[in-house]
Structure formats: structure tokens, C-alpha cells
Amino acid sequence: MVLDNEQNKPHDALARILADDMDEVNTLIQKRMASKHAPRIPEVTAHLVHAGGKRLRPMLTLAAAHMCGYQGDHHIRLAATVEFIHTATLLHDDVVDESGQRRGRPTANLLWDNKSSVLVGDYLFSRSFQLMVETGSLRVLDVLANASATIAEGEVLQLTAAQDVNTTEETYLQVVRGKTAALFSAATQVGGIISTADEEICQALYDYGDALGIAFQIADDLLDVVGDAKSIGKNVGDDFRERKLTLPLIKAIAAGGEHDRVFWTRTIAKGDQGEGDLEHAINLMHTTGAIEATRTDALDWSNKAQQSLSLLPDSELKTILQGLAIYVVSRVS
């Protein structure tokens, strides 16, 4: 698979292979996001669901189930569950972050209001739990409930660590596992569980999703520094301007001297940013070795994701998922 070929992106290959299943998932999503008594619910939900996302998380659930030889239809419910959880978190995130745009479109909280976004997010969480219960698996319920709690915990941890220049890589990893990796790992793990796969296979699927999610987020952090606006869909340096403690920034603070720390305290902790500060920040990330160290971490997590699937039998889907782990870091490798 040539990963730098636009025609061979792993998520596009997944979409082609899983097209029939995804049609069923989309039909179920449309059905379950309806509301007899509150028409604003499907209005808000449809705005985000139809915004052009890749639906990667539900596809991971479907792929995991297929790799484990699943023959039933509960994987459709679980894929819809995962997408509902993801959509609910996006609605809540946009309120917390006071975002005005997502995927190039106005956010729901901008088009409607914060109250609608929060309450519709709550509705989708409730719908997701209804779908989980329908599978009849307490283990599935346990995994997805834990993932939902971990996501919320990660969001709160990020709030408490925001603009704190003493934030460690350990705390960063906890935030990333909550915000990003928790749903990736749950999505893949439940595909194995619903297939009654061996425990070591279910653990391998969890490990894959966990490492994939972490690699994805680290690469995203790095692109904010070394990418270009056209390819990343946002301005380079947005994370610095928003005073986010990303991995290259955390590494640069830890590796820098006292003079550098004064700069970081002014620009990140106090938010006093002026002309030339972004350029100086990026220069410090380079000269302290933070950029290269972050790139190494992203590649390490990508390798962990690929290796996690070694226990599963060879298949086209396995090859694509391994390719996906390579693809998420390909722009920074």
C-alpha cells in the first residue's frame, strides 16, 4: 500500500471494504437520533453528523469485528454507539472551547446556543447507552462506560492543566488517553468482545486503538509547529496562540534554561504574546531538540500500534489497520 498516494489512504480503503456495514450504521444513526418531542435534537445532531467526518471510529469497530470472524449484527449497534459518543463529545468540546468552527462549518453552539449543544450531547450519550444495552453484553457496557468516563476525566484534567508550564509529559499522556485514545481503544476492543474473541486478542485490539490514538494526537501537535496551513486546515502556531500545552512545547520547557522558562511563563502562563513570539517559540522547540523528540515519540507509538496486531491472523483489514498507524504519522515522519 502506497500511503502517500491520495488514492490509497487507509481510511478510504476501510470505507470501501466496510461500505455495506457503514450504510447500516448510518441508517441506524439516522433512526436513533430522531426525537418525537424535541425537533431541535435531530436538527443539531444532523448538522454535526453530516459535516463530513471520516467516521473512522465506527469503522474501527466494524473492522475489529470482521477480523475476529463475527457473524451477527451487534457490531452495527456498537459502531453507531461509538459514533454517538464521539459526536456527543464534539458538541461538549465546542462549548468548553468556545469554538465557532468545526470541519470548516459553524459549530452547533454558534448556530443554536450552548444550552442546546450540551443537552443534545447528553441526549446522544443516553442513546449510546441504549444501543450498548441492546447487545446484551455486560462486558461491552463496561468497556464503553469506562471509556465515556475516561473521556470526561481527560477533559477535566486538561482544564486543570491548561496554561500550567509545570505540566509534565505524564499528565499530557493522561489527557491524550482521555480525549483521544480512550474512544479509539474502546472502539477496537468491543469489536473483539462482541465476537467472543480470546482475551489476548481483545487486549491486542485495545492496545492498537490506544497506541493509534496517542500517535494521532502527537502527530497533530507536531503539525501545528512543522506543518503548513494548507495541509493541516488551520494556521500554524494556533496551539501556541491558544496557549495549549502540547508535547513539543512541554518538551521544550523541560529542556530549556531559566531564561527560556521566563519566556514560556510570559507567553503561555500569562498569555502575554507579541510580535515575533511564535517564531521564537518554534525556534526554541527546534534548538532544544523538542521537535525531533516529539517526532520520535509519534513514530514509536505508531510502531506499537502496528505491532499490537501481530496476534491477529493476516487479512486485508489487518494490513489496512497497520497502514493506518503509519499514515497518521506520515506527515511528520
Side-chain angles (χ1 to χ4, degrees), residues 237-256:
D238 275 354
D239 288 342
F240 173 78
R241 282 183 284 267
E242 294 170 14
R243 302 157 63 196
K244 292 182 179 179
L245 272 297
T246 61
L247 189 57
L249 195 150
I250 291 170
K251 286 181 180 291
I253 293 173

Side-chain angles (χ1 to χ4, degrees), residues 123-296:
Y123 178 83
L124 293 182
F125 269 124
S126 300
R127 281 299 201 202
S128 72
F129 277 89
Q130 288 176 328
L131 284 164
M132 293 179 218
V133 170
E134 289 174 15
T135 68
S137 170
L138 279 176
R139 179 83 189 284
V140 161
L141 185 60
D142 180 53
V143 167
L144 289 169
N146 283 336
S148 299
T150 301
I151 292 167
E153 187 178 37
E155 292 284 358
V156 175
L157 179 59
Q158 185 177 50
L159 278 179
T160 59
Q163 291 93 52
D164 182 358
V165 295
N166 295 310
T167 298
T168 64
E169 290 190 34
E170 181 181 6
T171 298
Y172 167 86
L173 193 59
Q174 286 180 308
V175 170
V176 170
R177 276 209 159 100
K179 286 197 64 179
T180 305
L183 194 53
F184 276 88
S185 56
T188 47
Q189 186 181 15
V190 295
I193 292 171
I194 204 65
S195 308
T196 64
D198 292 343
E199 183 56 37
E200 62 179 2
I201 295 295
C202 293
Q203 183 63 47
L205 290 168
Y206 170 91
D207 291 342
Y208 170 81
D210 180 61
L212 180 71
I214 295 171
F216 177 88
Q217 187 59 58
I218 293 175
D220 194 58
D221 287 356
L222 199 52
L223 283 171
D224 186 73
V225 182
V226 302
D228 64 86
K230 185 177 180 180
S231 66
I232 65 177
K234 62 178 183 177
N235 295 320
V236 172
D238 275 354
D239 288 342
F240 173 78
R241 282 183 284 267
E242 294 170 14
R243 302 157 63 196
K244 292 182 179 179
L245 272 297
T246 61
L247 189 57
L249 195 150
I250 291 170
K251 286 181 180 291
I253 293 173
E258 189 57 36
H259 182 71
D260 294 343
R261 192 171 185 84
V262 171
F263 168 78
W264 294 120
T265 299
R266 173 175 65 82
T267 57
I268 301 300
K270 297 180 180 179
D272 179 12
Q273 298 182 10
E275 186 176 352
D277 282 343
L278 172 60
E279 291 74 16
H280 185 58
I282 293 175
N283 182 61
L284 286 177
M285 291 182 209
H286 279 288
T287 57
T288 58
I291 298 294
E292 194 53 43
T294 301
R295 181 179 287 111
T296 298

